[in-house]
Amino acid sequence: MIYIDVRTPDEYNEAHVPGAINFDLAEMMRGEVPDVPLDAEIVLYCRSGGRAETALGIMQKAGFTNIKNGGGYTDLV
């Protein structure tokens, strides 16, 4: 399972799920997506789940198939 933290780098540096990739939602809004397999099991998270939900839609449109919104950071730790 791959955890992707879509918060800002500053938020990520404060605390994050161990091993999580930081990929700021702002990058996705510019058309970039993480360099992971399209069929990888991915859990997105942010502070409360809102940005993760936006990222989920972007990544689904980009072809990712096994992805879910994990909600906020505190929901996962």
Side-chain angles (χ1 to χ4, degrees), residues 1-2 36-43 64-67:
M1 181 170 319
I2 300 171
V36 297
L38 294 176
D39 63 348
E41 187 176 354
I42 299 169
V43 176
F64 290 87
T65 59
N66 192 7
I67 189 166

Side-chain angles (χ1 to χ4, degrees), residues 3-50:
Y3 288 91
I4 299 178
D5 185 326
V6 299
R7 300 175 300 162
T8 66
D10 286 342
E11 290 173 297
Y12 175 84
N13 289 332
E14 286 178 18
H16 58 271
V17 171
I21 297 167
N22 182 219
F23 203 91
D24 192 337
L25 176 61
E27 295 175 66
M28 289 189 205
M29 302 282 284
R30 290 191 298 266
E32 300 172 40
V33 293
D35 185 19
V36 297
L38 294 176
D39 63 348
E41 187 176 354
I42 299 169
V43 176
L44 302 169
Y45 71 93
C46 57
R47 183 177 48 84
S48 64

